[in-house]
Coordinates of all heavy atoms in Angstrom, one line a residue:
M8 N 11.1 26.9 -12.2 CA 11.3 25.8 -13.1 C 12.8 25.3 -12.9 O 13.1 24.2 -13.1 CB 11.1 26.3 -14.5 CG 11.0 25.2 -15.4 SD 9.8 24.1 -15.0 CE 9.6 23.0 -16.4
T9 N 13.7 26.3 -12.7 CA 15.2 26.0 -12.5 C 15.2 25.0 -11.3 O 16.0 24.0 -11.5 CB 16.0 27.2 -12.3 OG1 15.8 28.0 -13.5 CG2 17.4 26.9 -12.3
L10 N 14.7 25.3 -10.2 CA 14.8 24.5 -9.0 C 14.2 23.1 -9.2 O 14.7 22.1 -8.7 CB 14.1 25.3 -7.7 CG 14.9 26.5 -7.3 CD1 14.1 27.2 -6.1 CD2 16.2 26.1 -6.9
V11 N 13.2 23.0 -9.9 CA 12.4 21.8 -10.2 C 13.5 20.8 -10.9 O 13.7 19.8 -10.7 CB 11.1 21.9 -11.0 CG1 10.7 20.7 -11.5 CG2 10.1 22.6 -10.1
R12 N 14.1 21.4 -12.1 CA 14.9 20.7 -12.9 C 16.2 20.3 -12.2 O 16.8 19.2 -12.3 CB 15.2 21.5 -14.2 CG 14.0 21.5 -15.1 CD 14.5 21.9 -16.4 NE 13.3 22.0 -17.2 CZ 13.3 22.2 -18.5 NH1 14.4 22.6 -19.2 NH2 12.1 22.3 -19.3
T13 N 16.6 21.2 -11.3 CA 17.9 20.9 -10.5 C 17.6 19.8 -9.6 O 18.4 18.9 -9.3 CB 18.3 22.1 -9.8 OG1 18.6 23.2 -10.8 CG2 19.6 21.9 -9.0
G14 N 16.5 19.8 -9.0 CA 16.0 18.8 -8.0 C 15.7 17.4 -8.7 O 16.1 16.4 -8.1
Q15 N 15.3 17.5 -9.9 CA 15.1 16.2 -10.7 C 16.5 15.6 -10.9 O 16.5 14.3 -11.1 CB 14.4 16.4 -11.9 CG 13.0 16.8 -11.7 CD 12.2 17.2 -13.0 OE1 12.7 17.7 -14.0 NE2 10.9 17.1 -13.0
R16 N 17.5 16.3 -11.1 CA 18.8 15.7 -11.5 C 19.8 16.0 -10.3 O 20.9 16.2 -10.6 CB 19.3 16.5 -12.7 CG 18.6 16.2 -14.0 CD 18.7 14.8 -14.5 NE 18.0 14.7 -15.7 CZ 18.4 13.8 -16.6 NH1 19.4 13.0 -16.3 NH2 17.8 13.8 -17.8
W17 N 19.3 15.9 -9.1 CA 20.1 16.1 -7.9 C 21.4 15.3 -7.9 O 22.4 15.7 -7.4 CB 19.2 16.0 -6.7 CG 20.1 16.4 -5.4 CD1 20.5 15.7 -4.4 CD2 20.5 17.8 -5.3 NE1 21.3 16.4 -3.6 CE2 21.3 17.7 -4.0 CE3 20.5 19.0 -5.9 CZ2 22.0 18.8 -3.4 CZ3 21.1 20.1 -5.3 CH2 21.8 20.0 -4.0
A18 N 21.3 14.1 -8.3 CA 22.5 13.2 -8.2 C 23.6 13.8 -9.1 O 24.7 13.7 -8.7 CB 22.1 11.7 -8.8
T19 N 23.3 14.4 -10.2 CA 24.3 15.0 -11.0 C 24.6 16.5 -10.4 O 25.7 16.8 -10.4 CB 23.9 15.2 -12.5 OG1 23.4 13.9 -12.9 CG2 24.8 15.8 -13.4
A20 N 23.6 17.1 -9.9 CA 23.8 18.5 -9.5 C 24.4 18.7 -8.2 O 24.9 19.8 -7.8 CB 22.4 19.2 -9.5
Q21 N 24.4 17.7 -7.4 CA 24.8 17.9 -5.9 C 26.3 18.2 -5.8 O 26.8 18.7 -4.8 CB 24.5 16.7 -5.1 CG 25.2 15.4 -5.2 CD 24.7 14.4 -4.4 OE1 23.6 14.5 -3.7 NE2 25.3 13.3 -4.4
T22 N 27.2 18.0 -6.8 CA 28.6 18.3 -6.7 C 28.7 19.8 -6.8 O 29.7 20.3 -6.1 CB 29.4 17.6 -7.9 OG1 28.8 17.9 -9.0 CG2 29.4 16.2 -7.7
A23 N 27.9 20.5 -7.7 CA 28.0 22.0 -7.8 C 26.6 22.5 -8.1 O 26.3 22.8 -9.3 CB 29.1 22.3 -8.9
P24 N 25.7 22.5 -7.2 CA 24.3 22.9 -7.4 C 24.1 24.3 -8.0 O 23.3 24.4 -8.7 CB 23.6 22.7 -6.0 CG 24.7 22.6 -5.0 CD 25.9 22.2 -5.7
E25 N 25.0 25.3 -7.5 CA 24.8 26.6 -8.0 C 25.1 26.7 -9.5 O 24.4 27.3 -10.3 CB 25.6 27.6 -7.2 CG 25.2 27.8 -5.8 CD 25.9 26.8 -4.9 OE1 26.8 26.1 -5.4 OE2 25.4 26.8 -3.7
A26 N 26.2 26.1 -9.9 CA 26.6 26.0 -11.3 C 25.6 25.4 -12.1 O 25.3 25.7 -13.3 CB 28.0 25.4 -11.5
Y27 N 25.1 24.1 -11.6 CA 24.2 23.3 -12.4 C 22.8 24.2 -12.5 O 22.3 24.2 -13.7 CB 23.9 22.1 -11.6 CG 23.0 21.1 -12.4 CD1 23.6 20.2 -13.3 CD2 21.7 21.0 -12.4 CE1 22.8 19.3 -14.1 CE2 20.9 20.3 -13.2 CZ 21.5 19.3 -14.0 OH 20.8 18.5 -14.7
A28 N 22.4 24.9 -11.5 CA 21.2 25.7 -11.6 C 21.4 26.9 -12.6 O 20.4 27.2 -13.2 CB 20.8 26.1 -10.2
H29 N 22.5 27.5 -12.5 CA 22.9 28.5 -13.4 C 22.7 28.1 -14.9 O 22.1 28.7 -15.8 CB 24.2 29.1 -13.2 CG 24.6 30.3 -14.0 ND1 25.3 30.1 -15.1 CD2 24.2 31.6 -13.9 CE1 25.5 31.3 -15.6 NE2 24.7 32.3 -14.9
R30 N 23.3 27.0 -15.1 CA 23.3 26.4 -16.4 C 21.8 26.0 -16.9 O 21.4 26.3 -18.1 CB 24.1 25.1 -16.5 CG 24.4 24.6 -17.9 CD 25.4 25.6 -18.7 NE 25.2 25.4 -20.1 CZ 25.2 26.4 -21.0 NH1 25.5 27.7 -20.6 NH2 25.1 26.1 -22.3
V31 N 21.0 25.5 -16.1 CA 19.7 25.2 -16.3 C 18.9 26.5 -16.6 O 18.1 26.5 -17.6 CB 19.0 24.4 -15.2 CG1 17.5 24.3 -15.4 CG2 19.6 23.0 -15.0
L32 N 19.1 27.6 -15.8 CA 18.5 28.8 -16.1 C 18.9 29.4 -17.4 O 18.0 29.9 -18.1 CB 18.9 29.8 -14.9 CG 18.3 31.2 -15.0 CD1 16.8 31.2 -14.9 CD2 18.8 32.1 -14.0
I33 N 20.1 29.3 -17.8 CA 20.5 29.8 -19.0 C 19.8 29.0 -20.2 O 19.4 29.6 -21.2 CB 22.1 29.7 -19.3 CG1 22.8 30.7 -18.2 CG2 22.6 30.1 -20.6 CD1 22.4 32.2 -18.4
K34 N 19.8 27.8 -20.1 CA 19.2 26.9 -21.2 C 17.6 27.2 -21.3 O 17.1 27.3 -22.3 CB 19.4 25.4 -20.9 CG 20.7 25.0 -21.2 CD 20.8 23.5 -21.0 CE 22.3 23.1 -21.3 NZ 22.5 21.5 -21.4
L35 N 17.1 27.5 -20.1 CA 15.7 27.8 -20.1 C 15.3 29.2 -20.8 O 14.4 29.4 -21.6 CB 15.0 27.9 -18.8 CG 14.8 26.5 -18.1 CD1 14.4 26.7 -16.5 CD2 13.7 25.7 -18.7
L36 N 16.3 30.2 -20.5 CA 16.2 31.5 -21.2 C 16.4 31.3 -22.7 O 15.7 31.9 -23.5 CB 17.2 32.4 -20.5 CG 16.9 32.9 -19.1 CD1 18.1 33.7 -18.6 CD2 15.6 33.7 -19.1
H37 N 17.3 30.5 -23.0 CA 17.5 30.3 -24.5 C 16.3 29.6 -25.2 O 16.0 30.0 -26.2 CB 18.8 29.5 -24.8 CG 20.1 30.2 -24.6 ND1 21.3 29.6 -24.8 CD2 20.3 31.5 -24.0 CE1 22.2 30.7 -24.5 NE2 21.6 31.6 -23.9
D38 N 15.8 28.7 -24.5 CA 14.6 28.1 -25.1 C 13.4 29.0 -25.2 O 12.7 29.0 -26.2 CB 14.1 26.9 -24.2 CG 15.0 25.7 -24.3 OD1 15.9 25.6 -25.1 OD2 15.0 24.9 -23.3
R39 N 13.2 29.8 -24.2 CA 12.2 30.8 -24.3 C 12.4 31.8 -25.4 O 11.5 32.2 -26.2 CB 12.1 31.6 -23.0 CG 10.9 32.6 -22.9 CD 10.8 33.2 -21.5 NE 9.7 34.0 -21.2 CZ 9.2 35.0 -21.9 NH1 9.8 35.4 -22.9 NH2 8.2 35.7 -21.4
H40 N 13.7 32.2 -25.5 CA 14.0 33.2 -26.6 C 13.8 32.5 -28.1 O 13.1 33.2 -28.8 CB 15.5 33.7 -26.5 CG 15.9 34.6 -27.5 ND1 15.3 35.9 -27.6 CD2 16.7 34.5 -28.6 CE1 15.9 36.5 -28.7 NE2 16.7 35.6 -29.3
R41 N 14.2 31.4 -28.1 CA 14.0 30.7 -29.5 C 12.4 30.5 -29.8 O 12.0 30.6 -30.8 CB 14.6 29.3 -29.5 CG 16.0 29.3 -29.7 CD 16.6 28.0 -30.0 NE 16.5 27.1 -28.9 CZ 17.5 26.9 -28.0 NH1 18.7 27.4 -28.2 NH2 17.3 26.0 -27.0
G42 N 11.7 30.1 -28.6 CA 10.2 30.1 -28.9 C 9.5 31.3 -29.2 O 8.6 31.3 -30.1
L43 N 10.0 32.4 -28.6 CA 9.4 33.7 -29.0 C 9.8 34.2 -30.4 O 9.0 34.9 -31.0 CB 9.8 34.8 -28.0 CG 9.3 34.6 -26.6 CD1 9.8 35.7 -25.6 CD2 7.7 34.8 -26.6
A44 N 11.0 33.8 -30.7 CA 11.5 34.2 -32.1 C 10.6 33.4 -33.2 O 10.4 33.9 -34.3 CB 13.0 33.8 -32.2
R45 N 10.3 32.2 -32.9 CA 9.5 31.4 -33.9 C 8.0 31.9 -34.0 O 7.3 31.5 -34.9 CB 9.5 30.0 -33.4 CG 10.7 29.3 -34.0 CD 10.5 27.8 -33.8 NE 11.7 27.4 -32.9 CZ 11.7 26.8 -31.8 NH1 10.5 26.2 -31.4 NH2 12.7 26.5 -31.1
R46 N 7.6 32.5 -33.0 CA 6.1 32.9 -32.9 C 5.8 33.9 -33.9 O 6.5 34.9 -34.0 CB 5.8 33.4 -31.5 CG 4.4 33.7 -31.2 CD 4.1 34.1 -29.8 NE 2.8 34.3 -29.6 CZ 2.2 34.5 -28.4 NH1 2.9 34.5 -27.3 NH2 1.0 34.8 -28.3
V47 N 4.7 33.9 -34.5 CA 4.1 34.7 -35.6 C 3.6 35.9 -34.9 O 2.9 35.9 -33.8 CB 3.1 34.1 -36.3 CG1 2.5 35.2 -37.3 CG2 3.6 32.9 -37.2
T48 N 4.0 37.2 -35.4 CA 3.5 38.4 -34.7 C 2.1 38.6 -35.1 O 1.7 38.4 -36.4 CB 4.4 39.6 -35.2 OG1 5.8 39.3 -35.0 CG2 4.0 40.8 -34.6
E49 N 1.3 38.9 -34.2 CA -0.1 39.0 -34.4 C -0.5 40.5 -34.8 O 0.0 41.3 -34.2 CB -1.0 38.6 -33.2 CG -0.8 37.2 -32.9 CD -1.5 36.8 -31.6 OE1 -2.3 37.6 -31.0 OE2 -1.4 35.7 -31.1
R50 N -1.3 40.7 -35.9 CA -1.6 41.9 -36.4 C -3.2 41.9 -36.5 O -3.8 40.9 -36.8 CB -1.1 42.2 -37.7 CG 0.4 42.2 -37.8 CD 0.9 42.5 -39.3 NE 0.9 41.2 -40.0 CZ 0.4 41.1 -41.2 NH1 -0.2 42.0 -41.8 NH2 0.5 40.0 -41.8
P51 N -3.8 43.0 -36.4 CA -5.3 43.1 -36.6 C -5.7 42.9 -38.1 O -4.9 43.2 -38.9 CB -5.7 44.5 -36.1 CG -4.5 45.3 -36.0 CD -3.3 44.3 -35.9
L52 N -6.8 42.4 -38.3 CA -7.3 42.2 -39.7 C -7.5 43.4 -40.3 O -8.0 44.4 -39.6 CB -8.4 41.2 -39.7 CG -8.2 39.8 -39.1 CD1 -9.5 39.1 -39.2 CD2 -7.2 39.1 -40.1
D53 N -7.4 43.6 -41.6 CA -7.7 44.8 -42.2 C -9.3 45.0 -42.3 O -10.1 44.1 -42.4 CB -7.2 44.7 -43.7 CG -5.7 44.8 -43.8 OD1 -5.1 45.2 -42.8 OD2 -5.2 44.3 -44.8
G54 N -9.7 46.2 -42.1 CA -11.1 46.5 -42.1 C -12.0 46.3 -40.9 O -13.1 46.5 -40.9
H55 N -11.2 46.1 -39.8 CA -11.8 45.8 -38.5 C -11.4 46.8 -37.5 O -10.3 47.2 -37.6 CB -11.6 44.3 -38.1 CG -12.3 43.4 -38.8 ND1 -13.6 43.1 -38.8 CD2 -11.8 42.4 -39.6 CE1 -13.9 42.1 -39.7 NE2 -12.8 41.7 -40.2
D56 N -12.3 47.2 -36.6 CA -11.9 48.1 -35.5 C -10.9 47.5 -34.6 O -10.9 46.3 -34.4 CB -13.1 48.5 -34.8 CG -14.1 49.4 -35.5 OD1 -13.7 49.9 -36.5 OD2 -15.3 49.4 -35.1
E57 N -10.0 48.3 -34.1 CA -9.0 47.7 -33.2 C -9.7 47.2 -31.9 O -9.1 46.2 -31.4 CB -8.0 48.9 -32.8 CG -7.1 49.3 -33.9 CD -6.1 48.2 -34.3 OE1 -5.6 47.6 -33.3 OE2 -5.8 48.3 -35.4
G58 N -10.6 47.8 -31.5 CA -11.3 47.6 -30.2 C -12.3 46.4 -30.2 O -12.6 45.8 -29.2
R59 N -12.7 46.0 -31.4 CA -13.7 45.0 -31.5 C -13.0 43.7 -32.0 O -12.3 43.8 -32.9 CB -14.8 45.4 -32.4 CG -15.6 46.5 -31.8 CD -16.7 46.9 -32.6 NE -17.7 45.8 -32.8 CZ -18.3 45.6 -34.0 NH1 -18.2 46.4 -35.0 NH2 -19.1 44.6 -34.3
S60 N -13.4 42.6 -31.6 CA -13.0 41.3 -32.2 C -13.6 41.0 -33.4 O -14.8 41.1 -33.5 CB -13.1 40.2 -31.2 OG -12.8 38.9 -31.8
P61 N -12.9 40.5 -34.5 CA -13.7 40.1 -35.8 C -14.4 38.9 -35.6 O -15.2 38.5 -36.4 CB -12.6 40.0 -36.7 CG -11.4 39.7 -35.9 CD -11.6 40.4 -34.6
L62 N -14.2 38.1 -34.5 CA -14.8 36.8 -34.2 C -16.0 37.0 -33.4 O -16.2 37.9 -32.6 CB -13.8 35.9 -33.5 CG -12.5 35.6 -34.2 CD1 -11.6 34.8 -33.3 CD2 -12.7 35.0 -35.5
R63 N -17.0 36.1 -33.7 CA -18.3 36.2 -33.0 C -18.0 35.3 -31.7 O -17.4 34.4 -31.7 CB -19.4 35.6 -33.8 CG -19.7 36.4 -34.9 CD -20.7 35.7 -35.7 NE -21.7 35.1 -35.0 CZ -23.0 35.6 -35.1 NH1 -23.3 36.5 -35.9 NH2 -24.0 35.1 -34.3
D64 N -18.7 35.7 -30.7 CA -18.6 35.0 -29.5 C -19.7 34.0 -29.4 O -20.6 34.0 -30.2 CB -18.5 35.8 -28.1 CG -19.8 36.5 -27.8 OD1 -20.6 36.6 -28.7 OD2 -19.9 37.1 -26.7
H65 N -19.7 33.0 -28.5 CA -20.6 31.9 -28.4 C -22.0 32.5 -28.1 O -23.0 31.9 -28.6 CB -20.2 31.0 -27.3 CG -21.0 29.8 -27.1 ND1 -21.1 28.8 -28.3 CD2 -21.9 29.3 -26.2 CE1 -22.0 27.8 -27.9 NE2 -22.4 28.2 -26.8
A66 N -22.1 33.6 -27.3 CA -23.6 34.0 -27.0 C -24.2 34.6 -28.3 O -25.4 34.4 -28.4 CB -23.3 35.2 -25.9
D67 N -23.4 35.2 -29.1 CA -24.1 35.6 -30.4 C -24.6 34.4 -31.3 O -25.8 34.5 -31.7 CB -23.1 36.4 -31.2 CG -22.7 37.7 -30.7 OD1 -23.6 38.3 -29.9 OD2 -21.6 38.3 -30.9
T68 N -23.9 33.3 -31.3 CA -24.2 32.2 -32.1 C -25.4 31.5 -31.5 O -26.4 31.2 -32.1 CB -23.1 31.1 -32.1 OG1 -21.9 31.8 -32.6 CG2 -23.4 29.9 -33.0
V69 N -25.5 31.5 -30.1 CA -26.6 30.8 -29.5 C -27.9 31.7 -29.7 O -29.0 31.3 -29.9 CB -26.3 30.7 -28.0 CG1 -27.6 30.3 -27.2 CG2 -25.3 29.5 -27.7
A70 N -27.8 33.0 -29.6 CA -28.8 34.0 -29.8 C -29.5 33.8 -31.3 O -30.7 33.8 -31.4 CB -28.4 35.4 -29.6
D71 N -28.6 33.7 -32.2 CA -28.9 33.6 -33.6 C -29.8 32.2 -33.8 O -30.8 32.2 -34.4 CB -27.8 33.6 -34.6 CG -27.2 35.0 -34.7 OD1 -27.9 36.0 -34.3 OD2 -26.2 35.2 -35.2
R72 N -29.2 31.2 -33.2 CA -29.8 29.9 -33.3 C -31.2 29.9 -32.7 O -32.2 29.3 -33.2 CB -28.9 28.8 -32.6 CG -29.5 27.3 -32.9 CD -29.1 26.4 -31.9 NE -29.5 26.8 -30.6 CZ -28.8 26.5 -29.4 NH1 -27.6 25.8 -29.5 NH2 -29.3 26.8 -28.3
D73 N -31.3 30.5 -31.5 CA -32.7 30.5 -30.8 C -33.6 31.4 -31.7 O -34.8 31.1 -31.6 CB -32.5 31.3 -29.4 CG -31.7 30.4 -28.4 OD1 -31.6 29.1 -28.7 OD2 -31.4 30.9 -27.4
A74 N -33.2 32.5 -32.3 CA -34.1 33.3 -33.2 C -34.6 32.5 -34.2 O -35.7 32.5 -34.6 CB -33.3 34.5 -33.6
I75 N -33.7 31.7 -34.9 CA -34.2 30.8 -36.1 C -35.1 29.8 -35.5 O -36.2 29.5 -36.2 CB -32.9 30.1 -36.7 CG1 -32.0 31.2 -37.3 CG2 -33.3 29.0 -37.6 CD1 -30.7 30.7 -37.8
V76 N -34.8 29.1 -34.4 CA -35.9 28.1 -33.9 C -37.1 28.8 -33.5 O -38.1 28.2 -33.8 CB -35.1 27.4 -32.6 CG1 -36.2 26.5 -31.9 CG2 -34.0 26.6 -32.9
R77 N -37.1 29.9 -33.0 CA -38.4 30.6 -32.7 C -39.2 30.9 -33.9 O -40.5 30.8 -34.0 CB -38.1 31.9 -31.9 CG -38.3 31.7 -30.4 CD -38.2 33.0 -29.6 NE -37.0 33.1 -29.0 CZ -35.9 33.8 -29.2 NH1 -36.1 34.8 -30.2 NH2 -34.8 33.8 -28.6
R78 N -38.5 31.4 -34.9 CA -39.1 31.7 -36.2 C -39.8 30.5 -36.8 O -40.9 30.4 -37.3 CB -38.2 32.3 -37.1 CG -38.2 33.9 -37.2 CD -37.4 34.5 -38.2 NE -36.2 34.9 -37.6 CZ -35.1 34.6 -38.2 NH1 -34.9 34.2 -39.4 NH2 -33.9 35.0 -37.6
Y79 N -39.0 29.3 -36.8 CA -39.5 28.1 -37.3 C -40.6 27.6 -36.5 O -41.7 27.2 -37.0 CB -38.4 27.1 -37.2 CG -38.8 25.7 -37.6 CD1 -39.0 25.4 -39.0 CD2 -39.1 24.7 -36.7 CE1 -39.4 24.1 -39.5 CE2 -39.5 23.5 -37.1 CZ -39.6 23.2 -38.5 OH -40.0 22.0 -38.8
D80 N -40.6 27.6 -35.2 CA -41.8 27.3 -34.3 C -43.0 28.1 -34.6 O -44.1 27.6 -34.8 CB -41.5 27.3 -32.9 CG -40.5 26.2 -32.5 OD1 -40.2 25.2 -33.2 OD2 -39.8 26.4 -31.4
D81 N -42.8 29.5 -34.7 CA -43.9 30.3 -35.0 C -44.5 30.1 -36.3 O -45.7 30.1 -36.5 CB -43.4 31.9 -35.0 CG -43.1 32.3 -33.5 OD1 -43.5 31.5 -32.5 OD2 -42.5 33.3 -33.4
S82 N -43.7 29.8 -37.4 CA -44.2 29.6 -38.7 C -45.1 28.2 -38.6 O -46.1 28.1 -39.4 CB -43.1 29.5 -39.7 OG -42.3 28.2 -39.5
R83 N -44.6 27.2 -37.9 CA -45.3 26.0 -37.8 C -46.6 26.1 -37.1 O -47.6 25.6 -37.5 CB -44.4 24.9 -37.1 CG -43.3 24.5 -38.0 CD -42.7 23.2 -37.7 NE -43.8 22.2 -37.3 CZ -43.7 20.9 -37.7 NH1 -42.9 20.6 -38.5 NH2 -44.6 20.1 -37.3
R84 N -46.6 26.9 -36.0 CA -47.8 27.3 -35.2 C -48.8 28.0 -36.1 O -50.0 27.7 -36.2 CB -47.5 28.0 -34.1 CG -47.1 27.2 -32.9 CD -47.1 27.9 -31.5 NE -45.9 27.5 -30.8 CZ -44.9 28.2 -30.4 NH1 -44.8 29.5 -30.7 NH2 -43.9 27.7 -29.8
G85 N -48.2 28.9 -37.0 CA -49.1 29.7 -37.8 C -49.8 28.9 -38.9 O -50.9 29.1 -39.2
S86 N -49.1 28.0 -39.5 CA -49.6 27.1 -40.5 C -50.6 26.1 -39.8 O -51.6 25.8 -40.4 CB -48.4 26.2 -41.2 OG -47.9 25.4 -40.4
A87 N -50.4 25.7 -38.6 CA -51.4 24.9 -38.0 C -52.6 25.5 -37.6 O -53.7 25.1 -37.8 CB -50.8 24.3 -36.7
R88 N -52.6 26.9 -37.2 CA -53.7 27.7 -36.9 C -54.5 27.9 -38.2 O -55.7 27.7 -38.3 CB -53.2 29.0 -36.4 CG -52.9 28.9 -34.9 CD -52.6 30.3 -34.4 NE -51.7 30.2 -33.2 CZ -50.7 31.0 -33.0 NH1 -50.4 32.0 -33.8 NH2 -50.0 30.8 -32.0
S89 N -53.8 28.3 -39.3 CA -54.5 28.6 -40.5 C -55.2 27.3 -41.1 O -56.3 27.3 -41.7 CB -53.5 29.2 -41.6 OG -52.6 28.1 -41.9
S90 N -54.5 26.1 -41.0 CA -55.2 24.8 -41.5 C -56.3 24.5 -40.6 O -57.3 24.0 -41.1 CB -54.3 23.8 -41.5 OG -53.8 23.5 -40.2
S91 N -56.4 24.8 -39.3 CA -57.5 24.5 -38.5 C -58.5 25.4 -38.7 O -59.7 25.1 -38.5 CB -57.0 24.4 -37.0 OG -56.6 25.7 -36.5
C92 N -58.3 26.7 -39.0 CA -59.2 27.7 -39.3 C -60.0 27.5 -40.6 O -61.2 27.7 -40.8 CB -58.6 29.1 -39.2 SG -58.1 29.6 -37.5
D93 N -59.2 27.0 -41.5 CA -59.8 26.8 -42.9 C -60.8 25.7 -43.0 O -61.8 25.7 -43.8 CB -58.6 26.5 -43.9 CG -57.8 27.7 -44.2 OD1 -58.2 28.8 -43.8 OD2 -56.7 27.5 -44.6
S94 N -60.6 24.7 -42.1 CA -61.5 23.5 -42.2 C -62.7 23.9 -41.1 O -62.6 23.5 -40.0 CB -60.9 22.3 -41.8 OG -60.2 22.4 -40.6
S95 N -63.7 24.6 -41.6 CA -64.8 25.0 -40.6 C -65.8 23.8 -40.8 O -66.2 23.3 -41.9 CB -65.3 26.3 -41.0 OG -65.7 26.3 -42.3
P96 N -66.4 23.5 -39.7 CA -67.4 22.4 -39.8 C -68.6 23.0 -40.5 O -69.2 24.0 -40.2 CB -67.7 22.1 -38.3 CG -67.3 23.2 -37.5 CD -66.1 23.9 -38.4
T97 N -69.3 22.2 -41.4 CA -70.4 22.6 -42.2 C -71.5 21.6 -42.0 O -71.4 20.5 -41.7 CB -70.2 22.8 -43.6 OG1 -69.5 21.6 -44.1 CG2 -69.3 24.0 -43.8

């Protein structure tokens, strides 16, 4: 990143490129340090295992949705069967 920024300002940096690159590097390090200092430290939630994520993944959500749809379809088929069986021709 230092070389990219030095190259972008080459008109200014060409008089003393090493010093300019050094200053850019120091500024980048300070920016990184400030960014890390502002970052909130992450901690595990209380009551959850360290190895397991408390969040569900997308596959679990899809599997649950499919199970609900299957139950709904089965119940509709069951009600259609019972209504067709109840009306016997006489």
Side-chain angles (χ1 to χ4, degrees):
M8 190 64 166
T9 303
L10 290 176
V11 171
R12 290 193 180 183
T13 303
Q15 289 172 340
R16 298 289 188 154
W17 185 248
T19 306
Q21 71 183 8
T22 57
E25 293 88 7
Y27 189 89
H29 183 262
R30 190 69 200 145
V31 168
L32 178 63
I33 296 300
K34 286 185 178 188
L35 287 171
L36 289 173
H37 286 189
D38 289 346
R39 184 178 192 301
H40 179 70
R41 278 193 296 262
L43 291 176
R45 272 188 244 131
R46 186 174 181 172
V47 176
T48 305
E49 296 176 5
R50 304 180 270 131
L52 297 173
D53 294 335
H55 291 286
D56 292 339
E57 291 287 329
R59 295 181 57 215
S60 170
L62 303 176
R63 296 171 45 109
D64 66 350
H65 184 66
D67 291 335
T68 305
V69 171
D71 289 347
R72 186 198 67 209
D73 289 346
I75 291 169
V76 169
R77 263 189 252 110
R78 268 187 262 138
Y79 176 74
D80 288 345
D81 289 347
S82 69
R83 293 207 30 144
R84 278 191 215 118
S86 64
R88 283 185 203 135
S89 64
S90 63
S91 65
C92 293
D93 289 343
S94 60
S95 58
T97 51

